[in-house]
Amino acid sequence: MARKLAVIGAGLMGSGIAQVSAQAGWDVMLRDVTDAALTRGTDGIKASYDRFVAKGKLEAADAEAALGRITTTTDLDAVADADVVVEAVFEKLEVKHEIFRALDKLVRDEAVLASNTSAIPITKIAAVTERPERVVGTHFFSPVPMMQLCELVRGYKTSDETLATAREFAESVGKTCIVVNRDVAGFVTTRLISALVVEAAKLYESGVASAEDIDIACKLGFGHAMGPLATADLTGVDILLHATGNIYTESQDEKFAPPELMRRMVDAGDIGRKSGQGFYKH
């Protein structure tokens, strides 16, 4: 399999995808709009490799070699010779459209264009390209180096060959894949966590139980590693509000209608761990 990967967006997800791919032997071009963003991304990758080396899970020489396989750029044209491109930018359709329009003109005909979106239908993203059959969803999970899952999403026109290439890529970087055969908003995982978070927030909002007790119920009753409200704080209440809103808009299914509490928390800036306050104090 060809081994040139371009990752668009050097944030938490993009840098994580770059990290596991370089470690697996891919040559990675990491692109973002500013040098500062690229420096943050590569500093995070180096720190993560250092932690793996310190724990004895990665040889220092292998970490050094992996770092050497990552190059950075602010120039989108530099990704033109990639075999696989993974877009990992902000969850806004207009932003993704701008990138996919540009990529469509830049990359080779046989390249696979993938999106790391967690909630936006792949068909909508692919629609602005001349090659919707070469566009696929590769939804990785955070933190990418630790999480085993990759959700592969087939858009309305995604070809079998494109899906197979995406699977080969994800499995080559150590992930287990599930396939979403019908391009519904939120796919499988975001729909499941959104429905759970919405119901948990409603129970908390109406005083049925405390946030702690709702999370304990899910951990001890269902064997979840983390409860839904703690997950919301980790992911960002704003991110989940955005995702549930997207799914609700697409599906008009009431179970995805975000509760008022989540809207007010976002208005107030109480968006979870990154702000120091969400459903819990951090």
Side-chain angles (χ1 to χ4, degrees):
M1 185 186 183
R3 289 269 171 179
K4 279 190 176 174
L5 174 72
V7 180
I8 312 300
L12 191 63
M13 294 304 297
S15 59
I17 294 164
Q19 177 181 330
V20 296
S21 302
Q23 195 177 330
W26 284 74
D27 289 321
V28 180
M29 175 69 74
L30 183 59
R31 189 264 181 182
D32 211 310
V33 288
T34 66
D35 288 324
L38 290 166
T39 301
R40 274 195 305 277
T42 49
D43 284 352
I45 292 169
K46 187 174 185 320
S48 184
Y49 282 152
D50 288 346
R51 283 193 296 275
F52 281 120
V53 170
K55 289 177 183 171
K57 292 182 177 178
L58 185 63
E59 293 293 328
D62 292 338
E64 197 65 36
L67 270 177
R69 283 190 283 270
I70 300 171
T71 47
T72 60
T73 184
T74 54
D75 179 10
L76 196 60
D77 292 5
V79 311
D81 66 343
D83 303 299
V84 177
V85 183
V86 179
E87 165 274 312
V89 302
F90 187 66
E91 283 287 81
K92 216 172 180 146
L93 186 60
E94 308 81 78
V95 182
K96 294 184 189 295
H97 273 174
E98 192 183 326
I99 286 163
F100 275 82
R101 274 195 198 95
L103 290 173
D104 191 34
K105 293 179 175 65
L106 281 173
V107 302
R108 294 175 297 112
D109 289 349
E110 61 273 25
V112 165
L113 300 179
S115 176
N116 183 58
T117 181
S118 59
I120 298 171
I122 297 303
T123 308
K124 279 192 171 180
I125 295 170
V128 298
T129 74
E130 298 291 318
R131 54 173 110 194
E133 72 285 351
R134 303 296 292 169
V135 181
V136 64
T138 51
H139 176 209
F140 289 83
F141 290 76
S142 183
V144 180
M146 308 301 291
M147 299 291 275
Q148 286 297 107
L149 187 64
C150 181
E151 196 173 27
L152 301 177
V153 187
R154 188 193 276 278
Y156 189 67
K157 293 193 171 179
T158 304
S159 70
D160 291 346
E161 185 194 357
T162 297
L163 192 74
T165 303
R167 179 189 282 278
E168 206 176 331
F169 158 61
E171 288 179 347
S172 79
V173 303
K175 302 308 173 195
T176 299
C177 299
I178 66 163
V179 176
V180 181
N181 283 309
R182 202 159 63 79
D183 188 19
V184 295
F187 318 137
V188 170
T189 55
T190 306
R191 281 177 91 94
L192 288 171
I193 192 60
S194 293
L196 190 57
V197 166
V198 163
E199 189 55 39
K202 284 177 180 171
L203 290 169
Y204 174 61
E205 182 180 43
S206 56
V208 171
S210 67
E212 291 88 343
D213 283 356
I214 292 164
D215 280 350
I216 288 169
C218 290
K219 288 201 298 188
L220 302 186
F222 307 141
H224 293 183
M226 184 183 279
L229 300 178
T231 300
D233 275 9
L234 177 64
T235 305
V237 179
D238 54 334
I239 304 285
L240 274 168
L241 179 67
H242 193 67
T244 53
N246 270 345
I247 299 168
Y248 177 61
T249 302
E250 280 279 322
S251 66
Q252 292 300 298
D253 186 332
E254 284 299 324
K255 72 171 168 284
F256 295 111
E260 198 171 323
L261 172 67
M262 285 176 72
R263 295 186 190 282
R264 292 300 161 263
M265 287 170 73
V266 171
D267 290 343
D270 287 355
I271 54 176
R273 288 194 187 185
K274 56 193 171 189
S275 71
Q277 178 70 51
F279 290 99
Y280 297 90
K281 190 159 185 58
H282 298 280

